[in-house]
């Protein structure tokens, strides 16, 4: 089955052609990083306009690179949510119109489920139950997946996503957007044990993440020690490098500390680590070390599949289409789409609605 995947939830316009959910024939991405860089973050209105410009050329390019024609496409998978409303609508409307015109099925896919499926191309088949730690600019969740298609949020962030914390701290340090790769670069030269930043504990005892206190701790450290952000064109000071390294180590400790604790409770057979922050080598190494300690295989996507792309959307879409699930023309974008459909004995689903931000 040949699926055309379309992704436009945030600041990447992406299209891909994927065969049977596991073979990427093409995957093209038009990144808006340069467009948003002067603003230090994504500007939703600009993002949507850019998607509108790029979506048609991206789909054309994906088809051309895959060497297939539109007539050969069996179905379309498109990101339905969560994400920025105007950005999502571009992809959703495009996919619906195309599917209607071609008279083929289409399915709306949860972007976070897409990240879970980003490991499908390069790793062995997942053994269930699995854990998926999805860390990106918009979401930070640890999922328990008892079987394909069933998700329970074990831990989620109460405030900032991990990638968002990387981006905001990078801004404080005078680094460019997106901050994750910049902090990672500096951290290699810094001393991660130099500063003890706090790992947040949630007072109600839930195993959730929280990164806004850490961000405040970095800001306070800068102020109290009178450390100025790196000026444009200057190279970062040793203090800034130590802050980057110590901050990064604290984020990793928080992510993997919780994963280890919850693994003892849930006994997963696989750990999936995906999302933009999974590009981080220090996180990859620490997760691999944890996997070895727990005797738990750890699967990552390669880096170009960790950040937003449409191949992962096609892979997740394949899973649903194969089960006969499809969307109809009334389907529309869902800004705060949830990924939790597995109810355990204590009625976990009745909890307050989780809102995702991208
Ligand atoms: O998955 P993604 O492309 O978009 C969202 O769905 O949010 O993730 C982007 C996020 C940004 O916050 C970026 O700073 C972070 O991933 N990121 C990293 C690294 N590369 C990207 N964070 C830490 N280390 C990296 N190497
Ligand atoms: Zn994403």
């Amino acid at each position: 089955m040949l699926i055309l995947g379309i992704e436009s939830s945030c600041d990447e316009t992406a299209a891909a052609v994927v065969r049977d959910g596991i073979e990427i024939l093409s995957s093209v991405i038009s990144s808006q990083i340069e467009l948003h860089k002067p603003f230090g973050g994504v500007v939703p209105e600009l993002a949507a306009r850019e998607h509108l410009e790029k979506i048609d050329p991206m789909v054309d390019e994906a088809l051309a690179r895959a060497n297939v024609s539109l007539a050969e496409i069996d179905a379309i998978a498109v990101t339905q949510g969560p994400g920025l409303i105007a950005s999502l609508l571009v992809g959703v409307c495009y996919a619906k119109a195309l599917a209607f015109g071609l008279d083929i099925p289409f399915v709306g896919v949860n972007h976070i489920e897409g990240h879970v499926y980003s490991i499908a191309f390069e790793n062995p088949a997942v053994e269930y139950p699995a854990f998926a730690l999805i860390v990106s600019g918009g979401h930070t969740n640890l999922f328990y997946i008892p079987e394909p298609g069933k998700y329970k949020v074990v831990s989620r962030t109460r405030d900032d996503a991990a990638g968002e914390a990387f981006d905001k701290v990078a801004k404080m340090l005078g680094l460019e957007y997106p901050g994750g790769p910049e902090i990672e670069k500096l951290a290699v030269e810094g001393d991660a044990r130099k500063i003890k930043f706090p790992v947040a504990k949630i007072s109600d005892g839930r195993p959730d993440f929280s990164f806004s206190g850490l961000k405040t701790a970095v800001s306070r450290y800068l102020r109290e020690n009178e450390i100025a952000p790196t000026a444009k064109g200057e190279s970062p000071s040793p203090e800034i490098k130590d802050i980057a390294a110590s901050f990064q180590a604290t984020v990793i400790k928080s992510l993997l500390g919780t994963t280890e604790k919850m693994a003892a409770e849930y006994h997963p057979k696989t750990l999936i680590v995906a999302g933009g922050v999974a590009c981080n080598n220090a996180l990859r190494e620490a997760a691999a070390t944890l996997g070895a300690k727990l005797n738990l295989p750890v699967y990552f996507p390669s880096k170009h599949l960790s950040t937003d792309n449409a191949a992962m959307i096609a892979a997740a879409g394949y899973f649903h289409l194969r089960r006969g699930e499809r969307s109809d023309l009334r389907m529309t974008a869902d800004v705060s789409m949830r990924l939790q459909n597995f109810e355990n004995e204590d009625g976990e689903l009745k909890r307050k609605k989780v809102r995702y931000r991208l």
Side-chain angles (χ1 to χ4, degrees):
M1 185 193 255
L2 275 188
I3 297 186
L4 172 67
I6 294 175
E7 153 67 33
S8 70
S9 64
C10 190
D11 60 344
E12 261 100 25
T13 322
V17 178
V18 170
R19 178 177 283 133
D20 296 337
I22 51 162
E23 189 193 343
I24 300 176
L25 302 191
S26 66
S27 176
V28 297
I29 300 168
S30 167
S31 167
Q32 302 180 2
I33 285 182
E34 291 307 317
L35 179 71
H36 300 292
K37 211 169 223 171
F39 306 97
V42 177
V43 183
E45 177 67 28
L46 294 182
R49 289 184 199 189
E50 185 73 4
H51 285 308
L52 210 48
E53 294 248 326
K54 293 287 156 60
I55 193 151
D56 209 28
M58 281 299 108
V59 169
D60 281 348
E61 197 176 329
L63 293 167
R65 289 201 192 183
N67 202 17
V68 300
S69 69
L70 264 183
E72 290 169 89
I73 296 292
D74 296 302
I76 298 175
V78 62
T79 302
Q80 184 180 359
L84 301 169
I85 183 66
S87 293
L88 287 166
L89 279 171
V90 174
V92 166
C93 293
Y94 187 96
K96 284 205 280 193
L98 193 55
F100 181 71
L102 295 171
D103 196 20
I104 57 173
F106 76 100
V107 68
V109 169
N110 186 306
H111 178 85
I112 303 169
E113 187 174 33
H115 278 298
V116 173
Y117 277 84
S118 66
I119 57 108
F121 308 106
E122 305 155 313
N123 291 284
V126 172
E127 260 204 272
Y128 294 91
F131 257 7
L133 180 63
I134 307 299
V135 265
S136 77
H139 17 83
T140 300
N141 292 302
L142 177 65
F143 291 100
Y144 174 65
I145 314 175
E147 61 184 73
K150 278 194 173 182
Y151 300 92
K152 178 189 168 185
V153 177
V154 173
S155 309
R156 63 189 165 96
T157 179
R158 289 294 184 93
D159 36 62
D160 294 346
E164 196 179 350
F166 267 96
D167 294 337
K168 288 179 179 169
V169 166
K171 207 170 179 177
M172 285 181 213
L173 302 182
L175 310 174
E176 287 210 323
Y177 171 83
E182 298 295 316
I183 290 196
E184 177 174 10
K185 247 186 279 164
L186 294 190
V188 173
E189 296 167 37
D191 180 356
R193 284 158 306 178
K194 195 69 179 270
I195 310 154
K196 289 262 165 299
F197 288 126
V199 173
K201 284 219 170 57
I202 304 294
S203 57
D204 64 11
R206 281 200 49 81
D208 285 344
F209 305 111
S210 165
F211 296 105
S212 86
L214 172 59
K215 190 183 64 192
T216 311
V218 174
S219 152
R220 195 180 320 119
Y221 186 88
L222 288 168
R223 210 176 42 244
E224 284 172 1
N225 294 281
E226 294 175 4
I227 299 169
T230 310
K232 248 200 163 60
E234 282 194 8
S235 42
S237 62
E239 287 94 342
I240 294 274
K241 290 176 182 168
D242 290 342
I243 295 171
S246 303
F247 161 79
Q248 178 177 279
T250 309
V251 173
I252 294 171
K253 193 169 159 196
S254 162
L255 292 171
L256 297 182
T258 299
T259 304
E260 179 171 10
K261 203 163 123 223
M262 299 323 288
E265 208 173 293
Y266 285 81
H267 308 292
K269 289 192 176 141
T270 319
L271 171 61
I272 295 165
V273 183
V277 181
C279 287
N280 189 287
N281 286 321
L283 173 61
R284 283 177 181 241
E285 281 160 24
T289 305
L290 176 65
K293 180 177 161 194
L294 302 182
N295 201 10
L296 186 68
V298 185
Y299 297 159
F300 307 97
S302 63
K303 293 189 181 177
H304 68 283
L305 291 166
S306 293
T307 46
D308 290 349
N309 65 85
M312 68 185 195
I313 302 300
Y318 173 73
F319 169 76
H320 290 289
L321 288 159
R322 220 186 34 180
R323 299 209 306 185
E325 296 165 16
R326 48 204 57 190
S327 302
D328 66 27
L329 289 171
R330 285 166 301 182
M331 183 276 262
T332 190
D334 183 350
V335 174
S336 51
M337 194 173 184
R338 299 183 56 182
L339 186 61
Q340 175 158 258
N341 52 17
F342 166 63
E343 187 160 4
N344 62 354
E345 318 80 63
D346 56 358
E348 201 71 37
L349 275 185
K350 295 188 190 79
R351 244 181 34 218
K352 205 171 114 244
K353 191 170 176 185
V354 183
R355 297 192 78 82
Y356 297 104
R357 283 179 297 145
L358 264 192

